[in-house]
Amino acid sequence: MSTLLEVRDLHVEVAGEEILHGVDLTIPEGEVHALFGPNGSGKTSLMMTIMGFSGYEITQGAVLFDGKDITDLDVTERARLGIGVAQQRPPTITGVQLHQVLDYAVDNGLCPREHLQELLAQARLDDFLTRDINGGLSGGEIRRSEILQLMVTQPRFAMMDEPDSGVDVEAMKLVGQMLNELFSLETSHPAKRRTGLIITHTGQILNYIQADKGHVMMRGELACSGNPRLIFDTACTSGYEICVQCINGVEV
Amino acid sequence: MKKTRSAIDNQTTNTETDLIPLNQVDETDAAALAEVGVIVDARQRSGTYIQRDHKPLCIMAQNEGLELLPIAQALEMYPWVRENYYWNLVSPNQDEITQHCAAQKVPQGFFIRVKKGVKIDKPCQASLYMAHTNITQAIHNIIILEEGAELHLITGCVSQHQVHTGLHYAVSEHYIGKHATLTSTMIHSWGPEVIVRPHAGTSVEEGGTFVNNYVSLRPAGDILSRPTTWLNGKGASAKYFTVILGSKGSEITTGGDVYLNAEGTSAEIAHRGVCTGGHLNQEGLLIGNAPCRAHVDCAGMLVDPGVDGYIESIPGLRATHPDARMSHEASIGKIAPEEVEYLQSRGIEEREAISMIIRGFLDADIEGLGPELDARIAEIAELAGHGE
Ligand SMILES: Nc1ncnc2c1ncn2[C@@H]1O[C@H](COP(=O)(O)OP(=O)(O)O)[C@@H](O)[C@H]1O
Ligand SMILES: [Mg+2]
């Protein structure tokens, strides 16, 4: 399949300090990849850089989407090309309500109104429509709200940051269901689904969604890539440091 | 001063002869008035008073129980107006503005009375409109709501777009009776060098409510507004909500004192200001003389302040009674880029995202405010975009 996202030798500075030190990542269309790694290793920074958020300054390298260099595009342009994110800690915007974003998507033909109603009921977010966006939401509610916005805006490439952290067991089921729907198989030949990148340091989400490939971020570099289950199980039993050594060892 | 005074002296008293019906207001005038919530569709309003430069242009009152007259006529008809209400809340000797208003041979402005128990459901509208440059408008308005009465008054003050300079002095005295509710929405849109000096006094009796919305869309060069409200009856309440969109070179101070003089009174002052240059001072003093609750909240957003633009917030509290519960908060900030980009990540244009955030910040859901506010917000969002 063709490559949808390509990150080439990406160096990124945050607040004047280099955080990503030459990341290469290729995600073919129709695949969902998992991104593992300890806290502070640079996972969120990679996602935010791909979306084009200011504050993540690319000092070297490039981001390509569908074969096009998007390094100089702003966030809106990237969103309109089909890149979407579910942030882990999205900002609260006083006076701007969730329905305004959803209405925007409906008004621009991204999602039929009736379908939005169904999704809202499924995500149990009806009561949040007229509240400030992300204002006073619990961890689980933020996950649901963010994933709902992805389901409504229908990006070709959906990224999400730690959908399984800060969520209790019950809420996790619902988040898992929603993600399953977001990455459901389309009836086509060959069978394909939405392309995605799921950041997880707990790995819990793998119980709900099949990832095609896993990557480990360590200190701002992708230390290894491979079978997501295998990588994660190794990381769980021996910790990321050992995991990376092991797999690097095998590869060398 | 001399020049303006003689202009007033030359005026005639022919208030009745030149009046026209609302639907005959000409297009240029109607467009200017629409900007500030004053519309020519009589069906949507309970009453209309339009003063163009120095003269009343249109006066209509459609509702039973709503009386609307030029102040000069009300003073002639009802001796009790002069005895009990005229210059009763604002002193004619307060300053040169009140002295100027008091010195007029024929006072300009309107008189509104809503009779006991009458609740007017559609807004009543008044406009003090400057069609010519370099004019001095000196206004004296009196509004009386008798017991249990209700009224929403939209006052639109506007100068035609080619009018850059002028003086607008206005004395307003509001009398809110027992359990009566006055919502006063004042929308201003002035030329860049117009000087605006409103002096308002309001007294509220037991259980009465005064809601005072003030919106300045296209600010004059110079606005100084410090209305005073006395909550004299048990359970009386006042709420001031002020939205100022500043611009380069403007000097704007809005504040006001609220005296909480009786048990169970409450007051709230909320300021929302956006600075795109010029000076914007947010004031407001709440004075708790009885068991009461009061809160003042100032919020400012600096969008494109330029070299010398600022917002200064000075919320004030004074308590003389131990059971006065009073609080204040103030915050000034800019538009957070992560908020703008969050909306952008859903496909929304940067300008539109900024507009949404400013609109949300202002939180101005005020009846009578039309598309003009949105248009102004879009202009400001444009500046914010360039300011990056
Ligand atoms: N806004 C910021 N200012 C300063 N340092 C930051 C900022 N954001 C992230 N960092 C730093 O960048 C590194 C990577 O962070 P992050 O991408 O959030 O990692 P992860 O998502 O893997 O936990 C960390 O050392 C973190 O402290
Ligand atoms: Mg993170």
Side-chain angles (χ1 to χ4, degrees):
Chain A
M1 280 202 205
S2 62
T3 296
L4 188 59
L5 179 82
E6 189 181 348
V7 173
R8 276 189 201 156
D9 187 31
L10 196 67
H11 292 253
V12 172
E13 280 185 8
V14 177
E17 197 186 322
E18 188 169 285
I19 301 290
L20 299 180
H21 317 288
V23 172
D24 291 288
L25 173 69
T26 299
I27 305 182
E29 174 124 53
E31 288 191 10
V32 176
H33 288 199
L35 180 59
F36 307 111
N39 276 331
S41 58
K43 305 181 297 297
T44 298
S45 302
L46 177 61
M47 182 188 86
M48 299 299 268
T49 306
I50 294 171
M51 191 70 239
F53 280 87
S54 59
Y56 300 86
E57 198 197 337
I58 299 179
T59 54
Q60 195 179 318
V63 180
L64 282 77
F65 189 73
D66 206 12
K68 182 181 171 184
D69 189 334
I70 61 164
T71 315
D72 294 327
L73 299 190
D74 77 5
V75 180
T76 306
E77 291 166 321
R78 294 181 198 211
R80 289 183 178 180
L81 283 177
I83 305 180
V85 282
Q87 292 189 50
Q88 187 182 359
R89 290 187 198 83
T92 297
I93 310 178
T94 308
V96 177
Q97 302 165 346
L98 177 60
H99 77 87
Q100 291 179 261
V101 169
L102 301 175
D103 289 346
Y104 180 86
V106 170
D107 294 346
N108 285 279
L110 299 174
C111 175
R113 175 77 54 194
E114 310 78 63
H115 187 47
L116 171 61
Q117 293 309 331
E118 287 168 23
L119 291 172
L120 272 169
Q122 186 199 353
R124 298 192 209 132
L125 286 169
D126 307 73
D127 294 348
F128 297 90
L129 278 179
T130 53
R131 298 223 316 227
D132 284 356
I133 204 157
N134 305 317
L137 301 193
S138 71
E141 286 160 353
I142 286 182
R143 299 294 166 276
R144 273 144 55 202
S145 163
E146 290 288 292
I147 297 167
L148 173 78
Q149 290 177 60
L150 288 180
M151 294 172 93
V152 169
T153 48
Q154 300 278 348
R156 278 178 78 188
F157 175 57
M159 295 183 281
M160 59 208 59
D161 200 356
E162 314 271 11
D164 47 8
S165 69
V167 183
D168 63 39
V169 182
E170 222 18 61
M172 191 57 228
K173 263 195 203 152
L174 186 48
V175 168
Q177 257 173 34
M178 291 175 74
L179 282 186
N180 251 309
E181 193 170 323
L182 183 66
F183 294 112
S184 59
L185 275 182
E186 287 162 29
T187 46
S188 64
H189 289 283
K192 86 174 207 200
R193 58 177 172 168
R194 194 185 307 281
T195 314
L197 180 65
I198 302 178
I199 297 174
T200 172
H201 82 276
T202 71
Q204 237 186 318
I205 196 68
L206 295 180
N207 299 327
Y208 296 87
I209 188 119
Q210 285 283 338
D212 296 286
K213 203 168 182 186
H215 309 271
V216 180
M217 179 82 84
M218 289 289 289
R219 299 185 200 92
E221 290 176 63
L222 283 191
C224 88
S225 301
N227 179 304
R229 255 311 16 143
L230 197 61
I231 293 179
F232 189 68
D233 289 346
T234 317
C236 275
T237 45
S238 354
Y240 278 116
E241 294 287 344
I242 305 292
C243 156
V244 169
Q245 276 173 22
C246 152
I247 292 165
N248 283 346
V250 170
E251 276 178 357
V252 168
Chain B
M1 266 315 168
K2 273 211 177 84
K3 193 174 92 200
T4 52
R5 202 158 282 172
S6 65
I8 288 162
D9 291 342
N10 289 341
Q11 238 186 278
T12 51
T13 56
N14 58 341
T15 51
E16 314 245 316
T17 48
D18 301 336
L19 291 178
I20 58 169
L22 188 55
N23 58 13
Q24 282 174 28
V25 171
D26 81 40
E27 263 177 47
T28 319
D29 290 349
L33 295 172
E35 239 180 67
V36 289
V38 176
I39 53 176
V40 294
D41 179 3
R43 286 166 306 179
Q44 295 181 49
R45 295 289 185 253
S46 53
T48 297
Y49 176 94
I50 299 172
Q51 175 172 327
R52 190 177 189 276
D53 295 335
H54 299 303
K55 285 185 207 164
L57 179 70
C58 173
I59 304 174
M60 317 168 69
Q62 277 105 305
N63 271 68
E64 193 78 21
L66 170 68
E67 196 173 12
L68 185 48
L69 301 167
I71 186 70
Q73 196 180 332
L75 288 167
E76 273 169 33
M77 277 172 69
Y78 302 124
W80 50 264
V81 171
R82 192 180 296 277
E83 282 159 27
N84 303 327
Y85 297 95
Y86 196 62
W87 295 115
N88 192 39
L89 294 175
V90 177
S91 158
N93 298 316
Q94 190 176 319
D95 56 27
E96 67 177 276
I97 285 123
T98 54
Q99 282 163 7
H100 182 92
C101 290
Q104 294 186 100
K105 272 191 198 146
V106 181
Q108 305 164 45
F110 56 80
F111 168 86
I112 290 176
R113 174 161 65 141
V114 184
K115 302 233 168 93
K116 188 172 171 175
V118 175
K119 298 182 185 348
I120 309 287
D121 53 354
K122 287 178 197 157
C124 176
Q125 62 184 3
S127 183
L128 305 158
Y129 168 44
M130 248 182 227
H132 293 89
T133 219
N134 242 330
I135 273 181
T136 298
Q137 277 187 333
I139 313 289
H140 194 145
N141 303 324
I142 288 186
I143 299 168
I144 301 170
L145 266 63
E146 295 179 358
E147 187 172 341
E150 274 179 27
L151 180 72
H152 181 191
L153 175 67
I154 296 171
T155 308
C157 297
V158 59
S159 53
Q160 248 183 39
H161 273 274
Q162 82 277 5
V163 173
H164 284 255
T165 56
L167 288 167
H168 176 83
Y169 294 163
V171 171
S172 297
E173 299 178 280
H174 309 146
Y175 297 87
I176 301 174
K178 284 184 182 169
H179 303 288
T181 298
L182 174 64
T183 301
S184 168
T185 295
M186 190 167 279
I187 305 171
H188 280 187
S189 187
W190 295 110
E193 284 159 46
V194 176
I195 296 170
V196 181
R197 291 285 180 273
H199 279 49
T202 303
S203 74
V204 188
E205 290 178 40
E206 184 176 330
T209 302
F210 178 47
V211 178
N212 184 59
N213 300 314
Y214 179 62
V215 181
S216 179
L217 293 168
R218 254 170 236 289
D222 188 342
I223 301 177
L224 175 59
S225 173
R226 288 199 185 102
T228 304
T229 296
W230 293 269
L231 300 176
N232 293 327
K234 271 189 183 173
S237 70
K239 184 172 178 180
Y240 288 17
F241 180 58
T242 303
V243 173
I244 306 287
L245 305 178
S247 61
K248 281 194 177 54
S250 58
E251 181 71 49
I252 302 168
T253 299
T254 55
D257 299 348
V258 179
Y259 290 84
L260 297 105
N261 292 336
E263 196 180 332
T265 48
S266 62
E268 195 184 328
I269 296 180
H271 283 283
R272 295 291 175 269
V274 176
C275 172
T276 58
H279 302 163
L280 216 159
N281 300 289
Q282 301 175 325
E283 299 178 354
L285 178 63
L286 297 167
I287 300 138
N289 293 327
C292 63
R293 302 182 75 128
H295 183 70
V296 49
D297 163 21
C298 299
M301 191 180 255
L302 291 171
V303 171
D304 181 19
V307 279
D308 67 344
Y310 67 68
I311 297 179
E312 185 170 310
S313 294
I314 314 171
L317 303 175
R318 182 194 301 154
T320 64
H321 194 285
D323 291 325
R325 292 178 57 190
M326 314 181 80
S327 57
H328 70 70
E329 62 188 305
S331 62
I332 299 178
K334 61 167 187 170
I335 299 174
E338 63 269 22
E339 296 180 13
V340 177
E341 289 172 354
Y342 179 83
L343 296 172
Q344 287 187 267
S345 75
R346 307 301 180 211
I348 297 166
E349 289 271 10
E350 186 191 17
R351 299 277 157 73
E352 180 52 27
I354 294 171
S355 293
M356 284 167 81
I357 292 168
I358 296 175
R359 223 175 284 132
F361 164 76
L362 295 177
D363 189 24
D365 185 15
I366 295 173
E367 188 180 0
L369 257 187
E372 188 61 21
L373 179 65
D374 280 340
R376 273 291 284 151
I377 288 172
E379 280 176 30
I380 292 169
E382 182 91 4
L383 289 173
H386 291 313
E388 291 280 299

